[in-house]
């Protein structure tokens, strides 16, 4: 058998295989008819939790949806994402409510007060009928330290969040209760990080 005939047979088998795969895929997709606002959690020790969430924010923005970002930890937040988002003031609401990680502030009561203020702002934006996508960046951090009661967050997301609003929550150590009620949960796994080799945060990569 010549190489051309061999390639032709392989191509034919591949085409038949993909045809069957497409038919099976189309059958599965036909059963997916629900439209709803999702609760999404990005957690884990690996990089990319907020980055992936901002990717979703940009995607939503690209469709002309109004979005909001509530930053629970970083107060003096000056990142590449922020600089891009600020170019669309008619579509984007940004609120940086924290004053840094708790080991930086070293003031537990101030951290609790900031977390409460951020959550109140978060609820307001989630309930805004004009806003389709809300990113609660690093909410998992304040929940980890019990600066906010997890029961309150769960109750709001389950009973008060509008049906068509997407809410994305980021940060390490997501609470089990939050994972349980979320529609989509992704855990970022750390395999290798330049910080361990003495490399500081790089513009355009970390911020």
């Amino acid at each position: 058998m010549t190489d051309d005939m061999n390639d032709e047979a392989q191509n034919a088998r591949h085409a038949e295989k993909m045809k069957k795969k497409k038919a099976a895929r189309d059958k599965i997709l036909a059963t997916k008819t629900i439209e709803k606002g999702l609760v999404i959690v990005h957690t884990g020790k690996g990089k990319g939790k907020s980055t992936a969430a901002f990717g979703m924010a940009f995607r939503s923005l690209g469709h002309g949806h109004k979005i909001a970002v509530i930053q629970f930890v970083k107060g003096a937040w000056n990142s590449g994402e922020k600089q891009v988002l600020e170019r669309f003031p008619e579509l984007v609401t940004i609120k940086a409510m924290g004053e840094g990680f708790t080991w930086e502030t070293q003031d537990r009561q101030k951290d609790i007060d900031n977390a409460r203020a951020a959550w109140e702002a978060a609820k307001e934006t989630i309930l805004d009928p004009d806003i389709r996508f809300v990113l609660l960046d690093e909410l998992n951090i304040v929940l980890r330290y019990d600066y906010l009661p997890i029961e309150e967050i769960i109750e709001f997301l389950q009973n008060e969040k509008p049906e068509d609003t997407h809410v994305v929550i980021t940060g390490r150590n997501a609470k089990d209760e939050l994972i349980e009620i979320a529609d989509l949960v992704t855990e970022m796994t750390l395999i290798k990080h330049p910080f361990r080799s003495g490399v500081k945060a790089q513009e355009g990569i970390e911020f």
Side-chain angles (χ1 to χ4, degrees), residues 91-124:
L91 292 175
V92 179
T93 299
I94 301 174
K95 297 183 180 181
M97 310 291 290
E99 295 185 28
F101 291 99
T102 187
W103 55 85
E104 294 170 337
T105 64
Q106 300 177 21
D107 188 331
R108 181 175 180 274
Q109 189 55 53
K110 181 179 285 189
D111 288 340
I112 292 173
D113 293 342
N114 287 337
R116 172 53 60 184
W119 176 237
E120 294 304 319
K123 290 192 290 184
E124 182 179 343

Side-chain angles (χ1 to χ4, degrees), residues 33-41 56 60 65-66 126 128-129 131-134 156-169 181-184:
T33 59
I34 299 172
E35 289 191 31
K36 60 174 290 189
L38 304 176
V39 174
I40 300 169
V41 176
M56 289 183 176
S60 190
H65 301 155
K66 287 190 174 182
I126 292 170
D128 186 333
I131 296 177
R132 180 76 181 276
F133 176 101
V134 181
F156 179 85
L157 292 175
Q158 286 191 305
N159 300 318
E160 297 187 53
K161 181 187 78 65
E163 289 186 4
D164 60 349
T165 301
H166 302 297
V167 176
V168 183
I169 299 167
I181 65 103
D183 298 289
L184 172 62

Side-chain angles (χ1 to χ4, degrees), residues 41 140 143 150 154 157 169 175-182:
V41 176
N140 285 335
L143 292 177
I150 184 64
I154 297 299
L157 292 175
I169 299 167
K175 293 271 189 177
D176 290 340
E177 298 93 327
L178 183 59
I179 291 173
E180 179 66 27
I181 65 103

